[in-house]
Amino acid sequence: MNQDNKSEFTKCMTKTAKQLLDWYDRNRRDLPWRAAHGESADPYHVWLSEIMLQQTTVATVKGYFEKFLTRWPSVDALAAAPQEDVLQEWAGLGYYARARNLHKCAQVVVEVHQGSFPQTEEGLKALPGIGDYTGAAIAAIAFGEPAAVVDGNVERVVSRLFRVTDALPGAKKVIKAHTAEITPTKRPGDFAQAMMDLGSGVCTPKTPKCLLCPIRGACAAHEAGDMERFPVKAPKKAKPTRRAISFWLEHDGHVLLERRPQKGLLGGMPGLFSTPWEERPAFPAKEEWLTHRPSEDYWKPVEGMAKHTFTHFHLETKLLAAKADSKLNIENGFWHPVADLDAVGLPTVFKKIAVLRP
DNA sequence: GACCCGTGGGA
DNA sequence: TTCCCAAGGGT
């Protein structure tokens, strides 16, 4: 590409960014963490929302964002909270490492950065829970840095715009480079949000609404008529099914719960005691679950079964119930009032199992 | 690069 | 029902 063509190309892309920003101004959605037009966004709000929005829909995040902001109005307040309280408020949102890192990040911002977030992509990415996407998003939206913001929506939009035939996730580097080419130095934060809005509402995975697209004139896939081919993705693995038996032990209106280890699945969260979650064709027989029961009381099977799907496996669980003679002390166990079960903040999988109880 | 890590909604 | 996907990050 010679110099003339390159400048022509750049001009074209600048025009594309402008068209997209005009579309954004006309179709802007009002979101709790979004600053009013022309106002600058609060870095704490932007950070909190971006962490919650990782792999999570806007509709789901709204309620959690409001709850967190009410309870912890500043990064200092969040840093000062006990981890248990943060996990309890996060319960149901999933990907609980996000909550642990959120809390850690708040403490680092307060203790290392005097309560102010770093303003560059690199500085932000050094914080716990902030990776390529989130670092670029905060830099662009909160601090006006012309960072290339690439999430799942942008991957789809850009792979169609440039007709990227390489498969994800290998194509991430190429897509990031293309995104950088079209990211304007003016209003980079609005541009990033416009790209994501476009991806979620117009440039959808199936039957994209190209007639409503403000930049279809620049889209190579639209020109070729094979939009749905992009983004190209590597094939996925099938999910195995794991089976287990959980234990509902009650005494005097209290149920025995377990505080799970910090690392791994549902780390740091409360749950029911159970046999190990293993891939197997049938549920553990009595000889087997006997060795995992939390007490030697009389265990009786409960009607029904709970099903839940995690990122990489399906889980089927049956429930056994027993009455305890006393609130015995058990390693990593604690007793919680049954009437107040909601307040403990159980992950969804355990809520499903708990509703089976007698 | 491959794997681990939740949940809810829509097609 | 089943599959896909959603403003990904850590190891």
Side-chain angles (χ1 to χ4, degrees), chain A residues 17 42 44 60 71 84 109 118 127 153-155 181 207 235 264 288 304 310 318:
Chain A
D42 183 326
Y44 175 60
T60 304
R71 183 156 179 184
E84 261 192 48
V109 167
L127 295 168
N153 290 306
V154 177
E155 281 178 352
E181 290 170 23
T207 61
E288 197 172 342
F310 291 95
K318 289 191 173 183

Side-chain angles (χ1 to χ4, degrees), chain A residues 5 56 137 156 173-174 176 181 208 261 283 298 305 347 352 355:
Chain A
N5 281 342
T56 310
R156 188 168 54 255
K173 208 169 172 183
V174 181
K176 176 110 176 174
E181 290 170 23
F283 290 98
Y298 174 68
M305 177 179 69
K352 289 185 185 175
V355 298

Side-chain angles (χ1 to χ4, degrees), chain A residues 107-334:
Chain A
Q107 295 180 330
V108 172
V109 167
V110 168
E111 290 163 18
V112 180
H113 300 280
Q114 293 77 47
S116 300
F117 283 87
Q119 304 198 6
T120 65
E121 191 176 351
E122 287 310 307
L124 288 159
K125 277 171 62 174
L127 295 168
I130 299 182
D132 284 337
Y133 161 75
T134 310
I138 299 174
I141 298 169
F143 301 117
E145 295 283 316
V149 179
V150 183
D151 74 328
N153 290 306
V154 177
E155 281 178 352
R156 188 168 54 255
V157 172
V158 170
S159 67
R160 286 172 178 169
L161 268 179
F162 295 86
R163 238 169 143 272
V164 177
T165 50
D166 296 350
L168 286 167
K172 277 179 181 292
K173 208 169 172 183
V174 181
I175 292 175
K176 176 110 176 174
H178 281 313
T179 307
E181 290 170 23
I182 62 175
T183 298
T185 50
K186 289 184 179 180
R187 302 182 62 192
D190 286 342
F191 177 78
Q193 295 177 86
M195 287 285 279
M196 295 189 278
D197 282 2
L198 187 72
S200 69
V202 175
C203 195
T204 47
K206 289 176 182 172
T207 61
K209 304 169 181 67
C210 296
L211 285 177
L212 299 178
C213 182
I215 58 174
R216 65 176 177 280
C219 184
H222 181 255
E223 172 78 17
D226 57 357
M227 300 80 67
E228 287 200 37
R229 203 181 130 195
F230 305 96
V232 181
K233 291 190 176 181
K236 311 188 166 155
K237 290 185 178 177
K239 290 177 184 174
T241 298
R242 301 185 188 179
R243 295 184 172 84
I245 287 176
S246 296
F247 301 98
W248 180 269
L249 185 61
E250 237 180 88
H251 175 77
D252 190 25
H254 289 62
V255 61
L256 177 67
L257 297 177
E258 169 194 31
R259 179 64 60 179
R260 299 172 63 87
Q262 283 287 319
K263 290 191 182 274
L265 187 67
L266 307 173
M269 300 299 290
L272 291 167
F273 282 90
S274 67
T275 61
W277 297 354
E278 292 173 350
E279 182 183 350
R280 52 193 302 158
F283 290 98
K286 184 168 184 180
E287 313 84 75
E288 197 172 342
W289 62 252
L290 273 179
T291 66
H292 296 285
R293 74 201 149 148
S295 80
E296 297 185 358
D297 297 286
Y298 174 68
W299 290 95
K300 192 179 171 185
V302 174
E303 186 78 15
M305 177 179 69
K307 291 187 180 186
H308 189 78
T309 299
F310 291 95
T311 312
H312 52 293
F313 65 91
H314 303 288
L315 179 69
E316 295 182 0
T317 314
K318 289 191 173 183
L319 186 63
L320 295 173
K323 297 277 191 188
D325 294 328
S326 64
K327 287 185 192 167
L328 60 163
N329 274 319
I330 291 181
E331 177 91 11
N332 298 326
F334 64 100

